[in-house]
Amino acid sequence: MNNKGEQLYTGKAKSIYATDKPDEVIMEFRDDATAFNAEKHAVIQLKGRINQAINTHIMAALAHANIKTHFIKSLSATESLVKLLEMIPLECVVRNIAAGSLCRRLGIEEGREFDSPVFEFFLKSDSLGDPMINESHILTFGWATPEAIATVKKLSLQINTIIKPLFREANLLLVDFKLEFGYIDGEIVLGDEITPDGCRLWDAETKEKFDKDRFRFDLGDVTEGYREVAQRLNLTW
């Protein structure tokens, strides 16, 4: 049984609910979309269903490649059963192509492809705007151990080598993406989600954007962009 209990947490686009098992929770994808630290908000039709389908597909691909995640199974069109993790308060960002804040910070032209991925840490803190940090900050303030830092970095780059070609086969460029990790029984595993909410995905030829930048910068119908990603991955929702 996976009875849906009380709401434990509600974020910008997902909600977490208790189940009858203390180590398992239900992760619900909502249709909410936010940008610029929630200053911009809208409800996007079908976004939750499409993200659930994409995330389920990606988590299955990672499991097939022996990457451990919190994902257990899909429960409905918008809900997944996942393991309850003790989250590490870091966002791990892998960049294959220059875009977003990297361009603003460093004056790099958008679209520049890197010979090897750029890896960055950000502190997971909505109130601070998720600031960029380095390993010295992480160690000084006790956000993670040296071993954990090495592990999440290694896993992030491994995940990139798995999902980058997965998207490329769908004629999509994986520009960059955000990952979050947590502990279960002392082991670090992937948590959260991998969807167009946290990935930049461009058409491989035209460079049309099919991710949340459509919402951020009013670049076109958001549902159609997310739907295009799902269709190219041969998914239904």
Side-chain angles (χ1 to χ4, degrees):
M1 296 292 290
N2 303 117
N3 294 323
K4 190 175 182 179
E6 67 174 314
Q7 185 179 94
L8 302 177
Y9 169 80
T10 184
K12 297 173 183 175
K14 298 190 299 297
S15 297
I16 304 297
Y17 295 87
T19 70
D20 46 8
K21 294 184 178 180
D23 59 343
E24 296 179 1
V25 294
I26 292 172
M27 183 172 72
E28 178 187 39
F29 288 89
R30 307 194 315 272
D31 289 339
D32 295 86
T34 64
F36 310 119
N37 204 24
E39 291 181 9
K40 184 176 183 180
H41 174 267
V43 175
I44 308 297
Q45 186 181 20
L46 296 177
K47 186 172 84 74
R49 296 173 66 95
I50 298 170
N51 274 350
Q52 161 75 356
I54 293 172
N55 187 63
T56 298
H57 178 69
I58 299 299
M59 291 295 164
L62 293 176
H64 183 72
N66 297 315
I67 299 292
K68 293 185 178 180
T69 79
H70 70 155
F71 184 85
I72 300 173
K73 63 180 179 179
S74 177
L75 295 177
S76 72
T78 59
E79 296 173 326
S80 294
L81 184 68
V82 301
K83 298 173 184 176
L84 180 63
L85 303 183
E86 178 188 350
M87 298 303 294
I88 299 170
L90 304 175
E91 295 182 349
C92 300
V93 174
V94 179
R95 302 182 184 274
N96 297 306
I97 300 172
S101 65
L102 181 78
C103 297
R104 295 191 297 273
R105 282 186 276 117
L106 302 179
I108 305 299
E109 181 181 359
E110 182 180 81
R112 175 177 170 181
E113 296 191 31
F114 305 134
D115 293 334
S116 58
V118 172
F119 179 87
E120 297 174 332
F121 279 119
F122 294 81
L123 178 65
K124 186 170 176 59
S125 172
D126 288 342
S127 63
L128 297 175
D130 301 327
M132 185 179 177
I133 55 176
N134 60 34
E135 294 183 19
S136 180
H137 294 124
I138 297 170
L139 294 173
T140 297
F141 300 111
W143 293 320
T145 65
E147 294 77 15
I149 291 171
T151 297
V152 299
K153 184 174 182 179
K154 178 181 178 181
L155 286 171
S156 296
L157 295 173
Q158 285 180 337
I159 290 168
N160 187 50
T161 66
I162 297 165
I163 65 174
K164 182 180 176 182
L166 183 153
F167 284 116
R168 190 63 182 83
E169 289 172 6
N171 207 34
L172 294 166
L173 298 176
L174 179 60
V175 175
D176 57 35
F177 61 100
K178 172 184 71 68
L179 299 175
E180 296 181 24
F181 295 89
Y183 289 96
I184 183 166
D185 297 329
E187 183 177 17
I188 293 175
V189 304
L190 178 67
D192 199 41
E193 64 178 289
I194 298 179
T195 72
D197 273 6
C199 300
R200 283 190 171 88
L201 296 164
W202 297 352
D203 181 88
E205 277 78 41
T206 68
K207 307 303 188 291
E208 181 179 359
K209 298 174 173 65
F210 296 129
D211 51 71
K212 201 166 79 168
D213 274 352
R214 292 171 78 97
F215 173 68
R216 291 185 183 99
F217 306 116
D218 301 316
L219 300 178
D221 187 285
V222 180
T223 300
E224 287 304 311
Y226 283 41
R227 192 200 305 267
E228 182 69 21
V229 173
Q231 288 177 338
R232 293 192 188 193
L233 293 171
N234 297 315
L235 304 178
T236 58
W237 58 91

